[in-house]
Each structure stands twice: as C-alpha cells, then as structure tokens.
Amino acid sequence: MTVDGNGHATVSSAAHEMGMGTTTVQRQVAADRLGMPLENVTVRIGDNSLPFGGMAGGSSQTASLGAAINAASVKLSGELLRLAGNDTPLAGLRPGEIEFADSGLRKIGDPSRHESFASILRRAARSEISVTGESSAPLEVLKFSMHSRSAIFCELRVSEVTGEIRIDRLVGSFDCGRILNPKTAASQFRGVA
C-alpha cells in the first residue's frame, strides 16, 4: 500500500482478476479503510513482481486481500503518525487513538485534530510512503464453512407438442454473508440462476 503526496493510494498485489470484481471490491475496501474517496484509490494486481496474493475461490481472495489491506493500513497509520512528528494536530497521539478520515488521520472523537496525508508527507519532505501488510487464510475457514447457500425455484411450462420449455417465473434466495459490492453480487446471483 502506497500513499503519495497528492493524497492518492495505490494497493498492489499479485492476485489475479478473473472477472469476479476483485479490483473493484479491493478498491472499495481500501477507500473505506483509508477514509478517502474511491477515485483516489488505484488497485494494481496480476503481476507476479507484486506482493503475493491468495487464490480466488469461495471468496477467499476477497477476504485475504481485505485482511492484508487492513494490516497494511495499521502499519501505515503508525508510520504516518511517526512522520507527522510534533508540529501537527496529531502530536502526542498513539496509533490506537487515531483513525483514517478525510484522506488523512484524525483523533478518534475529535475531528479538529486532523491532518491530511498530503500535509504529513509534505512536511516530512517525502513524495510517498509505502508499507506491506500480510494476511493468511481467514481464520473463519478453520471454524466455519465458507460456502454460500441458495435455493432457487422455477415455474415453467413444457409444450406437449414441441417439448419447448418456457420459464414463467424464477425466484432465488441466497445466504452469502456480508456483501461488499452489490452490483457484482447481483450479477453472481443471476449467473447462478
């Protein structure tokens, strides 16, 4: 994870995109975690020179990359706080007392004690800051089934003459946990049906 002096973040992983929305979802996860607009986040994936990314399947890639983004953001907050020094509204705060917000860091519960990423990097005479976050397979896979379930019902007609099948109604109900991207989830639902 790299944040530059313009307040732009880049998340990089050797993970692969097979059309299931990895890039989109990880961009959303990073923007949410870093408290910045979606348009200020870029995701680079699919290059084996980048940090390792887990395999795709059963949402394990989404979970492991999201956990790595979270781990990187924890490191990033500590590094940015260290770079901010004493001439900052964040002076004297520890990592557990700050949160990401408005493309920077702020004291939890006190929006007046905020400084942007760009300001911190400018004062430290740095053009960017990079950290690496690691994650393993989500612990949930050791305790719980990670498979979604669904029930799909179809009402259809069959022509007695031609054998042609016409579907009158198709209804599905899906148990899929937390949905990170409603658009891609809806597309997967349609693909199942």
Side-chain angles (χ1 to χ4, degrees):
M1 177 180 288
T2 300
V3 174
D4 67 25
N6 296 320
H8 189 274
T10 302
V11 176
S12 304
S13 172
H16 57 288
E17 171 69 78
M18 299 186 313
M20 69 286 201
T22 297
T23 304
T24 301
V25 168
Q26 297 313 323
R27 190 171 169 222
Q28 291 173 313
V29 169
D32 181 64
R33 183 67 181 117
L34 296 174
M36 60 188 352
L38 193 59
E39 60 270 11
N40 287 12
V41 178
T42 299
V43 174
R44 291 178 50 224
I45 61 172
D47 182 337
N48 64 4
S49 69
L50 299 173
F52 174 77
M55 67 161 225
S59 295
S60 64
Q61 186 178 65
T62 299
S64 62
L65 286 176
I69 288 170
N70 187 55
S73 69
V74 169
K75 284 185 180 179
L76 181 65
S77 66
E79 289 296 312
L80 285 166
L81 196 56
R82 185 184 60 75
L83 279 180
N86 293 321
D87 187 23
T88 175
L90 305 170
L93 297 176
R94 293 183 299 250
E97 299 173 303
I98 59 171
E99 63 186 352
F100 290 99
D102 302 321
S103 298
L105 297 175
R106 75 173 175 209
K107 181 178 181 191
I108 296 172
D110 186 356
S112 69
R113 293 190 68 183
H114 174 272
E115 186 168 14
S116 70
F117 302 136
S119 174
I120 293 169
L121 290 170
R122 188 172 38 256
R123 194 173 49 261
R126 299 270 302 264
S127 61
E128 65 182 31
I129 183 169
S130 294
V131 296
T132 300
E134 296 180 33
S135 71
S136 57
L139 293 176
E140 289 84 3
V141 301
L142 302 175
K143 295 191 262 182
F144 307 105
S145 169
M146 296 294 286
H147 302 92
S148 297
R149 301 283 185 243
S150 66
I152 302 171
F153 303 92
C154 177
E155 183 180 295
L156 58 88
R157 291 178 284 128
V158 179
S159 169
E160 291 180 16
V161 176
T162 65
E164 180 182 31
I165 299 171
R166 294 283 177 139
I167 296 175
D168 292 330
R169 209 167 29 151
L170 187 68
V171 177
S173 178
F174 304 89
D175 174 20
C176 48
R178 181 176 179 199
I179 293 178
L180 298 175
N181 186 315
K183 187 174 185 176
T184 56
S187 181
Q188 284 184 338
F189 297 158
R190 287 184 200 99
V192 169

